[in-house]
């Protein structure tokens, strides 16, 4: 089933994001994760694509397994940075053969250790180039990334949103947002881009904060901000992992409940390959009976 159809269904369209394990970790670990996530009845599971195009084989392999062995809908993240047209066509062909119908079309970040990477060098410069290419030559459901606080590399947030509009006009079915922790920021973003004429579903990406060190690293990388309430939680439980996890789950539950109450188009949950975490959050919002 394609994305557009999934977001037309009644009820909550819930998706999970997982990432391929490191090359030295057996791939079976992520298959065990998927098996447990399947019990939580997601509409689909998305699989990230390694920064700079690393681990690309694993993304395709995992997305294919989700579809074929687990009988779930899958969405493969695909970054075009550093890829040739031939690379991209090969990946799309592999996904098609496996019956994977949806792609999250991304530009991607510079390869690690190359901050001066030249984005103009390749055939694809921005995500919009990949989206146009997919639309021209393939029949996939297409999602793209959106940044409620603006993409960190864009000097003006309003410019980023104009770029977003162009991307959607190129043929995006669904936007999935970068993680954020202040729903007011998301609602403000939504009002602005809806007024600009963006009509497709805009699905909030939610990553629970369960580890103080990890969240600081993630926020540093993606440029999202941490509201005072969350900052106090992280400071308070810095040395107490169990309490941090509990508080992080509670925060995510409140955030999601508020988003659903305000008519969110869906929820894209990033449980960091931890099915227990996903289960606790879904039980907290009443999507699953508590254990
Ligand atoms: C939901 C989600 C999932 C993600 N999954 C992955 C993943 O699996 N693997 C991974 O490596 N990364 C992933 N990312 C991160 C993403 O690759 C980076 O944020 C990357 O820097 C931008 O990708 P994009 O597709 O948003 O790029 P684009 O939409 O191309 O935008 C990139 C920048 O270019 C600007 N821009 C766009 N068009 C133009 C133009 N015509 N002229 C000038 N400037 C322009 C934009 O404003 C923005 O600042 C994900 C992000 C999100 C939100």
């Amino acid at each position: 089933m394609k994305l557009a159809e999934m977001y037309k269904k009644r009820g909550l369209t819930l998706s999970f994001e997982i990432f391929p394990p490191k090359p030295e970790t057996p791939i079976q670990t992520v298959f065990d994760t998927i098996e447990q996530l399947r019990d939580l009845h997601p509409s689909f599971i998305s699989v990230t694509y390694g920064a700079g195009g690393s681990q690309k084989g694993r993304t395709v392999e995992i997305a294919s397994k989700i579809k074929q062995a687990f009988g779930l809908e899958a969405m493969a993240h695909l970054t075009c940075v550093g890829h040739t047209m031939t690379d991209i066509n090969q990946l799309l062909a592999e996904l098609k053969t496996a019956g994977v119908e949806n792609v999250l079309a991304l530009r991607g970040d510079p390869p690690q250790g190359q901050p001066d990477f030249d984005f103009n060098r390749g055939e694809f410069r921005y995500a919009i180039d990949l989206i146009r290419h997919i639309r021209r030559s393939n029949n996939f459901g297409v999602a793209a990334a959106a940044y409620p606080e603006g993409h960190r590399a864009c000097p003006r947030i309003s410019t980023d949103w104009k770029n977003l509009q162009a991307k959607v006009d190129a043929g995006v079915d669904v936007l999935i947002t970068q993680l954020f922790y202040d729903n007011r920021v998301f609602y403000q973003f939504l009002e602005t881009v809806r007024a600009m004429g963006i009509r497709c579903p805009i699905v909030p990406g939610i990553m629970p904060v369960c580890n103080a060190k990890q969240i600081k690293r993630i926020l540093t990388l993606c440029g999202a901000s941490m509201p005072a309430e969350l900052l106090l939680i992280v400071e308070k439980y810095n040395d107490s992992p169990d309490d941090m996890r509990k508080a992080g789950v509670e925060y995510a539950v409140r955030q999601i409940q508020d988003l659903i109450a305000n008519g969110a188009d869906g929820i894209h949950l990033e449980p960091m390959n931890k099915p227990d975490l996903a289960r606790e959050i879904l039980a907290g919002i009443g999507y699953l009976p508590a254990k």
Side-chain angles (χ1 to χ4, degrees), residues 18-251:
I18 60 170
F19 52 85
K22 293 208 170 85
E24 61 275 17
T25 306
I27 199 148
Q28 186 58 40
T29 55
V30 78
F31 297 155
D32 296 342
T33 300
I34 296 164
E35 189 162 14
Q36 293 175 63
L37 289 176
R38 180 175 57 179
D39 296 342
L40 307 180
H41 311 295
S43 298
F44 67 94
I45 297 182
S46 82
V47 189
T48 65
Y49 196 75
S54 58
Q55 298 172 41
K56 62 182 180 181
R58 287 200 147 179
T59 300
V60 173
E61 183 180 355
I62 297 164
S64 306
K65 188 89 170 184
I66 290 171
K67 178 79 186 186
Q68 295 194 332
F70 292 97
L72 288 171
E73 296 300 335
M75 175 170 80
H77 297 208
L78 188 52
T79 64
C80 55
V81 57
H83 281 22
T84 64
M85 190 75 79
T86 311
D87 296 334
I88 293 291
N89 285 342
Q90 191 184 328
L91 288 163
L92 291 171
E94 286 171 27
L95 290 169
K96 198 168 201 164
T97 304
V100 175
E101 293 182 77
N102 301 295
V103 169
L104 174 56
L106 298 151
R107 183 197 68 177
D109 288 317
Q112 265 183 357
Q114 294 183 45
D116 299 326
F117 181 83
D118 180 8
F119 283 103
N120 297 324
R121 213 171 44 185
E123 286 159 285
F124 300 97
R125 187 171 174 194
Y126 297 111
I128 193 172
D129 303 319
L130 178 59
I131 293 161
R132 285 190 182 125
H133 177 67
I134 296 172
R135 283 293 177 222
R136 259 196 310 268
S137 54
N138 290 278
N139 186 22
F140 284 95
V142 177
Y147 303 83
E149 299 178 70
H151 183 261
R152 69 190 179 292
C154 199
R156 287 180 83 99
I157 294 181
S158 56
T159 308
D160 192 43
W161 292 346
K162 281 187 196 131
N163 292 334
L164 180 68
Q165 187 169 25
K167 194 158 76 165
V168 172
D169 290 346
V172 167
D173 297 306
V174 176
L175 289 170
I176 300 188
T177 77
Q178 177 168 269
L179 58 88
F180 59 89
Y181 293 105
D182 185 345
N183 286 0
R184 294 172 310 166
V185 171
F186 175 71
Y187 299 139
Q188 176 71 54
F189 160 74
L190 211 55
E191 259 177 48
T192 310
V193 298
R194 290 291 187 221
M196 288 168 69
I198 294 182
R199 296 272 167 267
C200 67
I202 302 180
V203 181
I206 302 294
M207 182 185 277
V209 175
C210 293
N211 176 317
K213 208 169 136 196
Q214 184 184 41
I215 197 61
K216 284 179 190 160
R217 189 179 60 79
I218 290 169
L219 293 180
T220 309
L221 286 174
C222 77
S225 60
M226 192 186 273
E229 185 192 349
L230 187 58
L231 187 64
L232 292 175
I233 292 173
V234 170
E235 294 291 315
K236 185 171 174 189
Y237 299 122
N238 205 9
D239 300 321
S240 173
D242 289 347
D243 291 330
M244 180 69 244
R245 189 181 189 285
K246 191 163 171 277
V249 167
E250 283 168 7
Y251 194 93

